[in-house]
Amino acid sequence: MSNAPVRNVVIVGSGPAGLTAAIYAARANLAPLCIEGFSAGGLIPGGQLMFTTEVENYPGFPEKVTGQELMQRFRDQAVHQGAELVTADATKVDLSKRPFEITYGDDAERVLAKTVIIATGARANYIGLPSEETLKNKGVSACAVCDGALFRGEPVAVVGGGDTAMEEATYLAGLCSKVTLIHRRDEFRASRSMQDRVKANPKIEILYSSAVVEVKDVALDHVTAIVVEDLKTKTRREVPISALFVAIGHTPLSDLFAGQIELHANGYIKTTPGTTQTSLAGVFAAGDVQDWTFRQAITAAGSGCMAALEAERFLAAEGAH
Ligand code: NAP
């Protein structure tokens, strides 16, 4: 039998959802432990906002705030309210028995939890070009709503053929001088209505059966152009742009929970609509790991708040707190 400590609430993840859950759970006297996790592919906690530049749409910050500063403020507030944070990745989660067991960090520390709030988020998919990697946040972005306004009046490009690419292209066409939309096939997978809106927009030029093979200019340390290959003719051309928006899907970080709670076919965690309740009592999911539609810091924070309140009610109903 494990002699690991038992917590009322263990939160996995430290983006806006996880840290908002930590703030609310701490204020409810639940003494939550937040296993921060290193942001997808990075070396730092704080979620996807750590990789954005300026955040201009988070209410309460009219003077703009960087993604890093915003997350530092979330974190400070969680600590100030009494949440305990550990900077480590959760490596194993056992939801087969209660209390649930979570293993984390290099030393495989274990903690038991009466409730778990999953807020592990999602990772944007990128094309995988070295030049794309170097120019991330220097004109390469995976979020038009976050970064589009930085390129107002300038030409930009979007890669992808799904609903997100259509949405981003349409959004950017309202801000930028021109949008070049690049898709690898000769038909989009996006819904017909969203495709039609893109095709009817005179500011959007569509390059079908094409791939971005290089982002320029690494030497200048910002985006000046992309090299696009026509996949049918194999010819290449340079398209001058100030920013490249990659909209080729996200990957939810739900692997730790697969097989233990229900996931949608696309890997996102299933929650009961209008709640953060997963298929397992006492386990809640908030933020991007369960939301592929809105994916905003403010909506993630809102669902993190919901998860903490639901965890508190669950514990109260069980007489466990
Ligand atoms: P998605 O539907 O998976 O589409 C991804 C697109 O990226 C596809 O067109 C795919 O091409 C392309 N792609 C994938 N890997 C690529 C690569 N390595 N290089 C170049 N292109 C690549 O993802 P999404 O558009 O983010 O949408 C995700 C989900 O959210 C969908 O269910 C969507 O309906 C939903 N969504 C809904 C709304 C809305 O209703 N308002 C808005 C946004 C998203 P192929 O087509 O060739 O596979």
Side-chain angles (χ1 to χ4, degrees):
M1 202 39 212
S2 174
N3 55 4
V6 183
R7 308 291 291 230
N8 292 308
V9 185
V10 171
I11 299 158
V12 188
S14 62
L19 291 176
T20 303
I23 292 166
Y24 273 77
R27 286 181 62 76
N29 261 344
L30 296 175
L33 176 72
C34 177
I35 300 171
E36 294 184 291
F38 296 101
S39 304
L43 297 169
I44 39 174
Q48 294 179 81
L49 274 184
M50 300 305 285
F51 303 116
T52 64
T53 45
E54 277 160 351
V55 180
E56 294 181 339
N57 57 6
Y58 199 86
F61 292 88
E63 73 289 355
K64 295 196 284 196
V65 60
T66 64
Q68 286 95 328
E69 189 191 340
L70 184 60
M71 292 325 300
Q72 187 60 48
R73 284 171 171 252
F74 271 67
R75 198 173 186 278
D76 291 348
Q77 196 168 351
V79 170
H80 179 70
Q81 294 297 339
E84 187 183 339
L85 273 53
V86 286
T87 307
D89 274 328
T91 51
K92 191 172 167 229
V93 176
D94 183 355
L95 303 177
S96 66
K97 56 184 187 317
R98 289 177 57 190
F100 308 116
E101 184 175 280
I102 297 121
T103 309
Y104 61 93
D106 293 340
D107 299 331
E109 276 192 70
R110 286 174 310 140
V111 60
L112 300 174
K114 294 179 194 168
T115 63
V116 174
I117 295 175
I118 303 169
T120 42
R123 171 169 47 79
N125 298 335
Y126 284 88
I127 305 164
L129 305 167
S131 53
E132 174 195 44
E133 177 64 29
T134 308
L135 294 171
K136 264 186 202 167
N137 291 333
K138 296 167 182 170
V140 172
S141 166
C143 179
V145 176
C146 315
D147 298 328
L150 303 172
F151 304 98
R152 211 181 284 271
E154 298 176 43
V156 299
V158 174
V159 188
D163 283 336
T164 301
M166 303 303 122
E167 207 166 59
E168 303 235 314
T170 306
Y171 176 82
L172 290 165
L175 292 174
C176 301
S177 58
K178 182 183 174 186
V179 179
T180 305
L181 175 59
I182 299 143
H183 181 42
R184 64 185 178 184
R185 290 187 296 132
D186 53 13
E187 60 177 339
F188 291 131
R189 75 165 57 231
S191 60
R192 176 61 56 190
S193 61
M194 292 177 83
Q195 288 190 33
D196 289 348
R197 201 159 3 129
V198 162
K199 289 174 185 167
N201 192 319
K203 284 172 83 178
I204 302 176
E205 182 186 0
I206 302 170
L207 303 180
Y208 292 104
S209 303
S210 297
V212 176
V213 292
E214 190 188 344
V215 188
K216 289 188 161 178
D217 189 323
V218 170
L220 295 177
D221 211 30
H222 67 94
V223 173
T224 59
I226 42 175
V227 180
V228 179
E229 179 171 300
D230 182 315
L231 296 170
K232 288 186 173 156
T233 63
K234 300 289 174 206
T235 52
R236 291 185 174 194
R237 67 160 153 143
E238 203 167 298
V239 179
I241 52 160
S242 301
L244 173 66
F245 291 88
V246 183
I248 60 174
H250 284 73
T251 303
L253 301 172
S254 58
D255 285 359
L256 280 177
F257 313 97
Q260 305 195 70
I261 53 174
E262 285 180 27
L263 307 182
H264 290 279
N266 59 8
Y268 286 80
I269 294 176
K270 275 191 187 173
T271 51
T272 306
T275 77
T276 60
Q277 176 62 61
T278 69
S279 59
L280 198 60
V283 180
F284 306 89
D288 287 14
V289 75
Q290 51 87 55
D291 166 30
W292 64 84
T293 307
F294 299 107
R295 300 195 320 242
Q296 300 300 301
I298 187 72
T299 50
S303 67
C305 162
M306 289 165 64
L309 295 176
E310 290 186 275
E312 182 190 3
R313 283 175 202 155
F314 175 86
L315 290 166
E318 293 227 315
H321 180 65

